[in-house]
């Protein structure tokens, strides 16, 4: 559903549009095998039905969210919510550090909590893989 994500990006204000396009490009390069779609109104990438990363335009910037980000090593991401998600906000394209973003995406492929089955497990998160 890349067209839907492109439409989402195109609908943003100029500065945020640049951020969204940069995020879409790098995420797409690093997560080539991921399913991508609009989910709850925002672009999100999934591996095997599990949400990995997404972004949303908010009042004070573009929120980049990693569902398992609290488990990343030395990430610099801020905890978000009551599970294992972590976030970064960008207000300007110059704040997007591509090398750092690629590092987070590499960790996101390897370090995952099973959000895809959280309802079935009645809110309990389980690690995916051996990390």
């Amino acid at each position: 559903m890349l067209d839907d994500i492109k439409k989402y990006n195109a609908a943003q204000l100029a500065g945020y549009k640049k951020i969204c396009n940069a995020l879409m490009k790098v995420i797409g390069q690093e997560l080539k095998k991921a399913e991508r779609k609009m989910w709850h109104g925002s672009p999100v990438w999934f591996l095997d039905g599990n949400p990995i990363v997404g972004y949303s335009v908010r009042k004070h910037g573009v929120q980049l969210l990693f569902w398992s980000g609290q488990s990343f090593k030395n990430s610099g991401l801020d905890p978000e919510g009551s599970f294992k998600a972590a976030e970064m906000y960008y207000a300007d394209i110059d704040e997007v550090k591509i090398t750092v973003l690629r590092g987070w995406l590499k960790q996101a492929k390897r370090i995952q909590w099973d959000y895809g089955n959280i309802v079935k497990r009645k809110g309990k998160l389980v690690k995916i893989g051996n990390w």
Side-chain angles (χ1 to χ4, degrees), residues 27-61:
I27 294 168
Q29 289 170 344
E30 290 295 326
L31 299 178
K32 290 180 178 136
K33 295 182 180 181
E35 174 190 7
R36 57 186 172 229
K37 63 183 176 182
M38 295 298 292
W39 193 49
H40 299 288
S42 299
V44 177
W45 282 255
F46 296 78
L47 291 174
D48 297 323
N50 198 42
I52 301 301
V53 64
Y55 58 84
S56 301
V57 173
R58 306 286 190 214
K59 273 186 184 177
H60 56 283

Side-chain angles (χ1 to χ4, degrees), residues 36-107:
R36 57 186 172 229
K37 63 183 176 182
M38 295 298 292
W39 193 49
H40 299 288
S42 299
V44 177
W45 282 255
F46 296 78
L47 291 174
D48 297 323
N50 198 42
I52 301 301
V53 64
Y55 58 84
S56 301
V57 173
R58 306 286 190 214
K59 273 186 184 177
H60 56 283
V62 178
Q63 176 197 38
L64 175 66
L65 182 74
F66 288 92
W67 269 257
S68 300
Q70 288 185 34
S71 298
F72 294 177
K73 302 275 189 250
N74 305 317
S75 71
L77 296 167
D78 296 319
E80 162 58 25
S82 58
F83 291 106
K84 302 290 183 183
E87 66 185 3
M88 174 62 73
Y89 271 89
Y90 301 108
D92 187 270
I93 188 65
D94 293 334
E95 297 171 350
V96 180
K97 305 300 180 206
I98 302 300
T99 303
V100 173
L101 177 56
R102 287 188 191 281
W104 291 334
L105 291 163
K106 284 180 171 75
Q107 289 186 74

Side-chain angles (χ1 to χ4, degrees), residues 9 12-23 93 96:
N9 293 356
Q12 308 311 321
L13 297 174
Y16 290 170
K17 185 186 308 185
K18 287 180 184 177
I19 296 168
C20 290
N21 284 332
L23 294 174
I93 188 65
V96 180

